[in-house]
Amino acid sequence: MERIVECVPNFSEGRRPEVIEKIIDSFRGKDGVKLLDYSSDKDHNRTVVTLVGEPEKVKEAVIQAVKVAVDEIDLRNHMGEHPRMGACDVIPFIPIKNYSIEEAVALSKEVGEAIGSLGIPVFLYERSATAAHRENLAAIRKGQFEGMAEKMKEDKWYSDFGPGVPHESFGTVAVGARMPLVAFNVNLNTPDVAIADAIAKKVRHIGGGLRYVKGMGVYLKDRNIAQVSMNLTDYTKTSIYRALETVRFEAKRYGVSVVGTEIIGLVPQQALIDSVEYYMGIENFSSAQILENKLSE
Amino acid sequence: MERIVECVPNFSEGRRPEVIEKIIDSFRGKDGVKLLDYSSDKDHNRTVVTLVGEPEKVKEAVIQAVKVAVDEIDLRNHMGEHPRMGACDVIPFIPIKNYSIEEAVALSKEVGEAIGSLGIPVFLYERSATAAHRENLAAIRKGQFEGMAEKMKEDKWYSDFGPGVPHESFGTVAVGARMPLVAFNVNLNTPDVAIADAIAKKVRHIGGGLRYVKGMGVYLKDRNIAQVSMNLTDYTKTSIYRALETVRFEAKRYGVSVVGTEIIGLVPQQALIDSVEYYMGIENFSSAQILENKLSE
């Protein structure tokens, strides 16, 4: 069975096309690796790459790209709007098919070890983190490239792999595994963003709500309505329908109703199947019954 | 873009392995043709084959298999429980991917013409039918092999291709296009099959119900409940959720509720997506947003 992992490495270079091309070449024409997308932002001075493929092949390609970043990018001369701590800043691995989150964690550690052996300190983050305070990327990256040497003197900011001090020109990198995100928004029949925000705070994890929901209220100017904008960080544990029905019952106290929903970007098929099974009460359904899945076997 | 058609030819041979293998060999090891399944039934004396692939390649393979049936099967010596009128009895084409029902109709006519040129009379049926009374396979096949010579003397049972009389040993064949069927059952909290049957009669097309629904009541002995058992004959026009919600509101007059549903066998992905869009009120969703679809591009 084909195993597929997704990887979305971020590189701190968005202005020099020749360097960007050298990085992207690490992912082109490789057996078992499919480059889905890459986009560079000059203001951010950053390039975000999306690739999928066989775990071992993706791993090799990413390590090669990191070597290009070591050679070509010097963060001592890097300016950009996006916070960054390394020439390759962050490398998330996302399990897609016939691949578990535990396997993605193991893969991220192999990649971390290989990068560490290049003399670059590595922070394992998200599901790969070795302590709770190291799960969140923003917390790890706080202080950025310029502040990292000082920050790493603290016991709690040890490197998981590589030296205990930043690489002179590369800096540091975060490597880890996470589930695919589902960006799910619920539109309300009110323009009052304060209501959407209050609902979001009830639905999301840190407000005592659903374990794998992040959320906030957003005002949609074009439509003059407010929206509960959510990220579902593990759809296998917190299904989309649970987020929707929780928004619905929290909205009742404000006399507000749901007028529609949106799924932004990509969504795993199973995330939709889980919800259709719930709403239609389908018994004993298997995704192997989906014609397209049978055809791609 | 890859175009995929499904074909489920039925052959009137379920007992002689060497003949069955010769037929199946028409579908094996062919570029652009994938043999999904075949099963032979000795009592029925019949073999049902499921294949998918590129329309032109599927067409060629099916014509080859019909030639094997001409050479190897003589219906004058054929006995079996399943009604049949030809050595290859029926050839339905089902559009699966990047292929419309109109294209499948055109393909069925090409296949019909090729079979007609072998001296075999062909009836176009289902969506390919040239008259309303010729849509239903059972109506065409009534009288079977033994009665077909007499039946074809009637004006309304002309052959669409080939001679106006049955082939001596092969008989006749029905060729046509239809949409994928979705077998969808709704379980009720009553053991009274009469209620399930009354609901089915309201929901189905011939009872003034939904255009693409066939249905009947069934008693599930193991669970001591009744079930509305349906076939959705065009899920693009009559979605699964419409069948479910119609059963639900018809059930109310009997004080009966829906306790669960079942999807039997294969279902096109879009049939499920249509329903999840309805229940969750998802705006502007495209199946291109499904991760697995993106990966298989």
Side-chain angles (χ1 to χ4, degrees), chain A residues 83-85 136-148 151-152 154 157:
Chain A
R84 76 287 177 272
M85 62 181 190
N136 185 272
L137 177 63
I140 295 171
R141 194 163 54 195
K142 198 174 173 190
Q144 298 193 48
F145 173 75
E146 291 75 8
M148 207 51 70
K151 182 176 181 171
M152 288 183 74
E154 294 178 54
W157 297 115

Side-chain angles (χ1 to χ4, degrees), chain A residues 86-118:
Chain A
C88 179
D89 197 50
V90 55
I91 308 176
F93 291 95
I94 304 121
I96 300 294
K97 195 174 168 188
N98 299 321
Y99 204 63
S100 68
I101 184 70
E102 290 77 18
E103 289 172 302
V105 166
L107 187 75
S108 74
K109 289 180 178 175
E110 289 172 30
V111 169
E113 189 168 10
I115 296 175
S117 74
L118 303 173

Side-chain angles (χ1 to χ4, degrees), chain B:
Chain B
M1 278 206 301
E2 193 191 20
R3 302 185 307 161
I4 296 182
V5 72
E6 184 182 5
C7 186
V8 190
N10 287 216
F11 298 88
S12 296
E13 177 57 66
R15 295 176 186 168
R16 291 178 296 163
E18 70 283 4
V19 175
I20 295 167
E21 285 304 303
K22 256 192 196 172
I23 292 167
I24 299 304
D25 276 344
S26 312
F27 307 117
R28 283 198 180 107
K30 295 278 164 70
D31 260 4
V33 176
K34 189 169 170 181
L35 177 65
L36 283 187
D37 185 53
Y38 67 102
S39 65
S40 302
D41 187 297
K42 284 185 181 165
D43 295 331
H44 287 182
N45 200 2
R46 192 177 179 89
T47 295
V48 178
V49 182
T50 306
L51 57 149
V52 293
E54 297 168 29
E56 279 303 310
K57 304 294 186 184
V58 168
K59 171 186 152 184
E60 287 167 23
V62 168
I63 293 169
Q64 187 186 324
V66 168
K67 288 176 180 169
V68 173
V70 175
D71 292 343
E72 302 288 343
I73 302 174
D74 188 337
L75 276 209
R76 290 169 294 189
N77 309 318
H78 181 276
M79 303 279 282
E81 283 173 27
H82 198 289
R84 78 283 177 273
M85 62 182 190
C88 179
D89 196 51
V90 54
I91 308 176
F93 291 96
I94 304 119
I96 300 295
K97 195 173 167 189
N98 299 320
Y99 203 62
S100 68
I101 184 71
E102 291 77 19
E103 290 172 301
V105 166
L107 187 75
S108 74
K109 290 179 177 175
E110 289 171 29
V111 170
E113 190 169 9
I115 295 174
S117 74
L118 301 174
I120 297 162
V122 172
F123 296 96
L124 293 172
Y125 83 121
E126 287 275 353
R127 296 289 181 96
S128 307
T130 48
H133 70 277
R134 297 161 65 95
E135 285 174 11
N136 185 272
L137 176 63
I140 296 171
R141 195 162 54 195
K142 198 174 173 189
Q144 299 194 48
F145 173 75
E146 290 76 8
M148 207 51 69
E150 197 56 32
K151 181 174 181 173
M152 288 182 74
K153 291 176 183 168
E154 293 180 54
D155 282 351
K156 66 177 184 177
W157 296 115
Y158 58 87
S159 64
D160 289 296
F161 297 105
V165 294
H167 183 285
E168 193 178 31
S169 59
F170 185 103
T172 61
V173 62
V175 182
R178 62 167 173 81
M179 290 294 290
L181 292 182
V182 175
F184 179 61
N185 301 330
V186 178
N187 298 330
L188 306 176
N189 66 346
T190 175
D192 189 346
V193 71
I195 292 176
D197 211 49
I199 293 169
K201 282 176 176 152
K202 286 269 172 29
V203 176
R204 69 194 186 186
H205 182 230
I206 54 168
L210 297 166
R211 174 69 187 90
Y212 293 102
V213 174
K214 296 177 179 178
M216 61 179 184
V218 170
Y219 174 62
L220 304 185
K221 197 179 164 193
D222 287 356
R223 297 173 63 177
N224 191 31
I225 60 170
Q227 176 183 77
V228 180
S229 178
M230 291 176 281
N231 266 324
L232 309 186
T233 57
D234 187 345
Y235 71 90
T236 65
K237 305 279 175 54
T238 302
S239 294
I240 309 179
Y241 78 85
R242 298 174 72 184
L244 173 56
E245 294 307 319
T246 305
V247 168
R248 211 192 291 280
F249 75 65
E250 293 292 349
K252 273 187 194 162
R253 73 159 70 193
Y254 305 100
V256 160
S257 315
V258 171
V259 295
T261 69
E262 301 170 356
I263 291 174
I264 306 297
L266 295 179
V267 58
Q269 186 188 68
Q270 192 58 44
L272 296 172
I273 300 311
D274 288 344
S275 288
V276 78
E277 282 186 65
Y278 168 76
Y279 286 108
M280 299 187 62
I282 310 176
E283 302 170 359
N284 301 319
F285 187 75
S286 154
S287 64
Q289 290 177 252
I290 296 174
L291 188 62
E292 284 79 359
N293 298 356
K294 177 105 178 161
L295 292 181
S296 69
E297 261 172 21

Side-chain angles (χ1 to χ4, degrees), chain A residues 1-270:
Chain A
M1 279 207 300
E2 194 190 22
R3 302 184 308 161
I4 297 183
V5 72
E6 183 182 6
C7 185
V8 189
N10 287 216
F11 298 89
S12 296
E13 177 57 66
R15 295 175 187 169
R16 292 178 296 164
E18 70 283 6
V19 174
I20 295 167
E21 286 304 304
K22 254 192 198 173
I23 291 167
I24 300 303
D25 276 344
S26 312
F27 307 117
R28 283 195 180 110
K30 294 278 165 72
D31 261 3
V33 176
K34 187 168 173 181
L35 177 65
L36 284 187
D37 185 53
Y38 68 101
S39 65
S40 300
D41 187 297
K42 283 183 180 166
D43 295 332
H44 287 182
N45 200 1
R46 191 176 179 91
T47 294
V48 179
V49 183
T50 306
L51 59 149
V52 292
E54 297 167 28
E56 278 303 308
K57 305 294 185 182
V58 169
K59 169 185 153 184
E60 286 168 23
V62 168
I63 292 168
Q64 187 186 325
V66 168
K67 287 176 181 169
V68 174
V70 175
D71 291 344
E72 302 289 342
I73 303 172
D74 188 336
L75 277 208
R76 288 170 296 190
N77 309 317
H78 181 275
M79 303 279 282
E81 284 173 26
H82 198 289
R84 76 287 177 272
M85 62 181 190
C88 179
D89 197 50
V90 55
I91 308 176
F93 291 95
I94 304 121
I96 300 294
K97 195 174 168 188
N98 299 321
Y99 204 63
S100 68
I101 184 70
E102 290 77 18
E103 289 172 302
V105 166
L107 187 75
S108 74
K109 289 180 178 175
E110 289 172 30
V111 169
E113 189 168 10
I115 296 175
S117 74
L118 303 173
I120 297 163
V122 173
F123 296 96
L124 294 172
Y125 84 121
E126 288 274 354
R127 296 289 181 96
S128 308
T130 46
H133 70 277
R134 298 162 64 96
E135 286 173 12
N136 185 272
L137 177 63
I140 295 171
R141 194 163 54 195
K142 198 174 173 190
Q144 298 193 48
F145 173 75
E146 291 75 8
M148 207 51 70
E150 197 58 29
K151 182 176 181 171
M152 288 183 74
K153 290 176 183 167
E154 294 178 54
D155 284 349
K156 66 176 183 176
W157 297 115
Y158 57 86
S159 64
D160 289 295
F161 297 104
V165 295
H167 183 284
E168 193 178 33
S169 58
F170 185 103
T172 61
V173 61
V175 181
R178 63 166 172 82
M179 288 296 288
L181 291 183
V182 176
F184 179 62
N185 301 330
V186 178
N187 297 331
L188 305 176
N189 66 347
T190 175
D192 189 347
V193 70
I195 291 176
D197 212 49
I199 293 169
K201 282 176 175 152
K202 287 270 172 31
V203 176
R204 70 194 187 188
H205 182 228
I206 54 169
L210 297 166
R211 173 70 187 87
Y212 293 102
V213 174
K214 296 177 178 179
M216 62 180 182
V218 170
Y219 174 62
L220 304 186
K221 198 180 163 192
D222 288 355
R223 299 172 63 177
N224 191 32
I225 59 171
Q227 176 181 79
V228 181
S229 179
M230 292 176 280
N231 266 324
L232 308 186
T233 57
D234 186 346
Y235 70 89
T236 64
K237 304 278 175 55
T238 302
S239 293
I240 308 178
Y241 77 85
R242 298 174 72 182
L244 173 55
E245 295 307 319
T246 305
V247 168
R248 209 190 293 281
F249 76 65
E250 292 293 348
K252 275 188 193 160
R253 73 159 69 196
Y254 304 100
V256 160
S257 314
V258 171
V259 295
T261 69
E262 301 169 357
I263 291 174
I264 307 297
L266 295 179
V267 58
Q269 185 187 68
Q270 191 58 43

